[in-house]
Amino acid sequence: MELISRTDYAEKVDSWLGKGQIIVLVGQRRIGKSCVLKDFVARHEKEPDANIIYIDKEKKEFDFIKDYVALNAYIDQRFVGGKHNYILIDEVQDIAEWERSVRSYRTENRTDIIITGSNAQMLSTDLSTLLSGRYQEIHVQGLTYSEFLVFHQLEESENSLHKYLNYGGLPGLRQIGINDEEHIHDYLQSVLNTVVLKDIVERHNIRNISFLNRLLQYLADNTGKPISANHISAYMKSQGNPVSTNVILDYSGYFEETYLLRCVPRFDIHGKKILETNGKYYFEDVGLRNLLSGNSSRDNDIEKVLENIVYQQLVRMGFTVRIGQLQAGEVDFVCTKRSQRVYVQVCYLMATEETREREFGALRRINDNHPKYVISLSPLVTRTNTDGIIHLGLREFLLNGF
């Protein structure tokens, strides 16, 4: 199947070549990091002086590279002085002490290193201690709505958006197809099983796997709701499954380490400070989130899905995203990028005056001049400006941003 270049990531990677920085692609398994590497090879392998050394730890032919000694030996055999050496290592965390090799080869002339990893904690620890200031991290996310249309050869329409909201943006669905519900379910389940088993259970020697799965489903069912470890512990106890808050915090941390989901903290808008409790969880891919929730019709949880989709798009746009806390009420997202700040409310349908007042009213209570938006799935909605608050349709936002 022909490789489709994800232009944004290609440009980000290329922009850091020749700057002496190790390029680190991070993200959940099956999110497309390997495809970014393969696309890099396709774009650069024909350069006259390019020498590409590509190690894919998910292939059995590289099983023998278990530590930095074997890694050094493999690279040394293929390293060509006088050429531009590109060293690419996919799923680098599966090589013991990999950072010792990477740190060494980074100092070679005309050498660029690109690595991928699916474990945030391990990568951040190794990179911050041994490679501090010498790497550039690029977070690879699932397909945007625009990419989804290209990957699946779809016309932009309400039906296409419905498929995106339901199946998510894992690039591997292109090969599976999005016309067979059973195949889609089986593929998403296999991805989820790989993340949970290989990146969490095996790495952390988890014994209470049944609770791990129940906790993950609980977080899926409560996407976009304020959650604390104490609240989860009380709920689990009421279900006859008492678990300590420490275990809940540990397991939730493991989910974040694998980029499966992210806990977004609350931000006191008036006090301008981060609040430590009751953050909200959003998934890296809504297809996996929907698989866990089990409601294929999306009738009962569409607002959770919309919030999750908007959150991920805001992150793609380069914003740091927080939950906005007001003295009376809440704003879904407070988004910052350098000196820029944007407030965003998300709702399903703007069907009643009560809904309009709830969504617009929260933004009116913010006494500053930063841009404010309401994003909804209301049919036939056009861009409108009411008292300085802009109402956008979800499709327009996903295609064109603000």
Side-chain angles (χ1 to χ4, degrees), residues 256-272:
E256 291 196 74
E257 282 179 14
T258 60
Y259 299 92
L260 190 59
L261 46 73
R262 183 67 58 199
C263 182
V264 182
R266 292 183 303 134
F267 177 78
D268 183 342
I269 293 176
H270 296 308
K272 298 182 179 179

Side-chain angles (χ1 to χ4, degrees), residues 313-325:
Q313 185 68 10
L314 289 167
V315 172
R316 289 188 190 98
M317 293 166 68
F319 287 104
T320 297
V321 183
R322 301 286 184 259
I323 309 302
Q325 185 67 49

Side-chain angles (χ1 to χ4, degrees), residues 264-265 267-269 272-274 311 313-324 331-344 368 370-371 373 402:
V264 182
F267 177 78
D268 183 342
I269 293 176
K272 298 182 179 179
K273 62 181 180 180
I274 299 292
Y311 166 74
Q313 185 68 10
L314 289 167
V315 172
R316 289 188 190 98
M317 293 166 68
F319 287 104
T320 297
V321 183
R322 301 286 184 259
I323 309 302
V331 174
D332 289 331
F333 300 123
V334 180
C335 316
T336 57
K337 181 169 31 174
R338 295 181 289 277
S339 60
Q340 182 183 7
R341 176 178 291 182
V342 175
Y343 300 103
V344 176
D368 64 33
H370 294 294
Y373 296 89
F402 294 126

Side-chain angles (χ1 to χ4, degrees), residues 230-280:
N230 287 332
H231 178 83
I232 297 173
S233 180
Y235 172 78
M236 293 298 176
K237 185 177 181 180
S238 72
Q239 301 297 305
N241 186 27
V243 179
S244 72
T245 55
N246 286 338
V247 171
I248 292 168
L249 289 171
D250 285 344
Y251 285 14
S252 300
Y254 300 155
F255 296 143
E256 291 196 74
E257 282 179 14
T258 60
Y259 299 92
L260 190 59
L261 46 73
R262 183 67 58 199
C263 182
V264 182
R266 292 183 303 134
F267 177 78
D268 183 342
I269 293 176
H270 296 308
K272 298 182 179 179
K273 62 181 180 180
I274 299 292
L275 303 175
E276 298 294 332
T277 59
N278 296 336
K280 293 184 177 184

Side-chain angles (χ1 to χ4, degrees), residues 88-268:
L88 282 54
I89 311 174
D90 203 358
E91 298 298 350
V92 72
Q93 74 273 358
D94 292 336
I95 302 174
E97 297 184 274
W98 58 268
E99 65 280 1
R100 297 178 63 172
S101 292
V102 168
R103 181 177 58 176
S104 176
Y105 287 108
R106 187 196 69 84
T107 62
E108 296 289 341
N109 290 329
R110 302 188 67 206
T111 299
D112 280 294
I113 301 172
I114 310 174
I115 62 176
T116 80
S118 303
N119 186 281
Q121 181 62 34
M122 190 181 69
L123 282 173
S124 63
T125 300
D126 294 333
L127 291 169
S128 62
T129 55
L130 293 172
L131 305 174
S132 179
R134 300 182 179 92
Y135 70 95
Q136 177 61 37
E137 188 173 286
I138 299 174
H139 180 193
V140 180
Q141 297 175 265
L143 302 178
T144 65
Y145 178 47
S146 297
E147 289 176 325
F148 181 84
L149 296 175
V150 172
F151 269 59
H152 297 287
Q153 298 181 323
L154 297 173
E155 295 292 329
E156 202 286 308
S157 67
E158 184 176 341
N159 183 54
S160 295
L161 180 62
H162 173 78
K163 291 179 183 293
Y164 184 61
L165 297 178
N166 206 28
Y167 304 140
L170 293 183
L173 280 175
R174 179 183 175 222
Q175 189 167 2
I176 303 301
I178 53 173
N179 296 316
D180 189 310
E181 292 277 354
E182 185 174 349
H183 285 172
I184 295 169
H185 177 278
D186 290 346
Y187 174 74
L188 293 175
Q189 188 67 61
S190 71
V191 172
L192 184 63
N193 291 344
T194 299
V195 173
V196 171
L197 180 62
K198 188 166 185 177
D199 291 336
I200 300 178
V201 173
E202 292 181 0
R203 179 159 285 130
H204 296 285
N205 194 26
I206 302 295
R207 296 184 178 181
N208 194 352
I209 299 176
S210 61
F211 171 70
L212 184 78
N213 288 323
R214 280 197 294 273
L215 176 61
L216 188 55
Q217 183 172 352
Y218 177 89
L219 295 175
D221 290 340
N222 290 276
T223 298
K225 291 184 178 180
I227 292 177
S228 70
N230 287 332
H231 178 83
I232 297 173
S233 180
Y235 172 78
M236 293 298 176
K237 185 177 181 180
S238 72
Q239 301 297 305
N241 186 27
V243 179
S244 72
T245 55
N246 286 338
V247 171
I248 292 168
L249 289 171
D250 285 344
Y251 285 14
S252 300
Y254 300 155
F255 296 143
E256 291 196 74
E257 282 179 14
T258 60
Y259 299 92
L260 190 59
L261 46 73
R262 183 67 58 199
C263 182
V264 182
R266 292 183 303 134
F267 177 78
D268 183 342

Side-chain angles (χ1 to χ4, degrees), residues 50-67:
N51 180 51
I52 297 177
I53 305 170
Y54 190 179
I55 298 164
D56 184 355
K57 279 298 291 177
E58 291 205 325
K59 292 186 179 295
K60 62 182 180 180
E61 63 193 89
F62 295 103
D63 282 348
F64 71 94
I65 303 180
K66 298 184 182 300
D67 57 28

